[in-house]
Amino acid sequence: MAGNIHPTAMIAPDAELGEGVEVGAYAVIGPGVQVGANTRIGPHAVLEGPMRIGTENVILQFASVGSAPQDKKYKGEPTRLEIGDRNVIRECVTLNRGTVQDQGLTSIGSDNLFMAYAHVAHDCRIGSHCVLANNATLGGHVHLGDWVIMGGLSAIHQFCKVGAHAFIANNAAVTRDVPPYVMVVGQPAGAHSVNSEGLKRRGFTPEQIRNIRSAFRVLYRSGLKLAEAEQQLAALAREQPELGPLVEFLPQSTRSIVR
């Protein structure tokens, strides 16, 4: 059974609340919403379906989760938002459902932190262990790999991809794809260095970090054309598996990489 439900909360008859779910005062849970066990929904939060939320999430006051896409092409189709487990969604965060122009789905993994006023637009794909600081903004169709960090007031242009362990500095404006491990700064954002501090925290060895730094120099400091740099990195990755995500990412870039 659901846990503590405030008497002023409005919950649609077909909404499904798992065991131990808490719902605060004046929260609204609309039709087609599924909330996993032990999730806490704060006062005045609004959840709209179709949407499925996993277990042990925390959604704080005034968050808008599962709202319709901010896309003029959207005509009320029953698109979805899916959220994994143990995410923290802070005050006034906005997470939109997908559109039929893509796959009709916005998806968010597990163990992410969305700070106040962060925005995730329609059709985004977010991995796990990401942090979006205050007012970080994703345009539509953006893909974030695991462990991506976005600084406050940073923004990513629609259709961009950001690789795992990348770091987007505060106030950065990302208009092209960001490879794994890379830290970007500026408006428009450019490659600055490797996110070495984040890699240390996640257990990468000093040797692995040195190899990633060397790969960064091949990609950004060697003067090689991109195709030539890709060939050299592919050769290095045969002996340095930590370069695998970087080598796999580059051919998948659709907006070109920050360079």
Side-chain angles (χ1 to χ4, degrees):
M1 296 180 59
N4 184 22
I5 308 296
H6 196 277
T8 62
M10 299 180 63
I11 302 175
D14 69 342
E16 300 178 19
L17 305 185
E19 183 176 358
V21 170
E22 299 181 12
V23 183
Y26 302 102
V28 178
I29 301 178
V33 174
Q34 299 172 284
V35 181
N38 301 313
T39 290
R40 178 160 60 91
I41 300 168
H44 297 279
V46 177
L47 280 63
E48 301 180 53
M51 174 172 59
R52 182 182 62 81
I53 301 174
T55 63
E56 301 180 15
N57 291 284
V58 177
I59 301 172
L60 295 188
Q61 55 267 27
F62 301 103
S64 176
V65 181
S67 53
Q70 298 180 85
D71 188 325
K72 293 176 69 174
K73 298 185 294 298
Y74 180 69
K75 304 300 180 184
E77 299 91 349
T79 56
R80 298 182 56 79
L81 169 65
E82 294 189 359
I83 299 175
D85 305 324
R86 300 175 303 279
N87 296 285
V88 176
I89 299 167
R90 295 295 305 242
E91 302 86 349
C92 302
V93 167
T94 51
L95 308 177
N96 293 164
R97 301 193 308 274
T99 66
V100 295
Q101 283 72 36
D102 200 317
Q103 298 182 30
L105 174 67
T106 300
S107 66
I108 294 170
S110 299
D111 300 295
N112 298 294
L113 170 59
F114 301 89
M115 296 188 192
Y117 290 93
H119 173 65
V120 176
H122 57 86
D123 303 292
C124 287
R125 304 282 194 274
I126 297 179
S128 296
H129 305 284
C130 296
V131 176
L132 276 66
N134 300 328
N135 292 101
T137 298
L138 303 184
H141 315 274
V142 168
H143 293 191
L144 298 187
D146 296 339
W147 300 100
V148 171
I149 296 178
M150 294 182 63
L153 299 167
S154 60
I156 301 180
H157 191 280
Q158 62 187 15
F159 292 102
C160 284
K161 299 181 178 68
V162 179
H165 303 283
F167 189 102
I168 313 300
N170 62 293
N171 294 290
V174 175
T175 59
R176 292 183 287 174
D177 296 343
V178 180
Y181 309 126
V182 172
M183 179 184 295
V184 297
V185 302
Q187 300 178 358
H192 177 271
S193 58
V194 166
N195 181 21
S196 55
E197 189 60 37
L199 298 180
K200 291 177 188 176
R201 294 175 182 176
R202 292 163 209 149
F204 283 71
T205 67
E207 181 182 6
Q208 289 174 320
I209 295 173
R210 283 195 299 271
N211 292 340
I212 292 168
R213 282 176 166 157
S214 295
F216 179 90
R217 288 192 290 271
V218 169
L219 188 58
Y220 289 105
R221 303 289 185 258
S222 66
L224 294 173
K225 294 180 179 179
L226 180 57
E228 296 169 338
E230 286 187 55
Q231 291 178 352
Q232 189 165 330
L233 292 173
L236 291 171
R238 297 188 189 106
E239 301 296 331
Q240 301 170 14
E242 59 274 13
L243 303 186
L246 179 59
V247 171
E248 293 170 7
F249 181 92
L250 294 175
Q252 299 174 14
S253 174
T254 54
R255 288 187 56 83
S256 77
I257 64 167
V258 291
R259 207 162 186 241

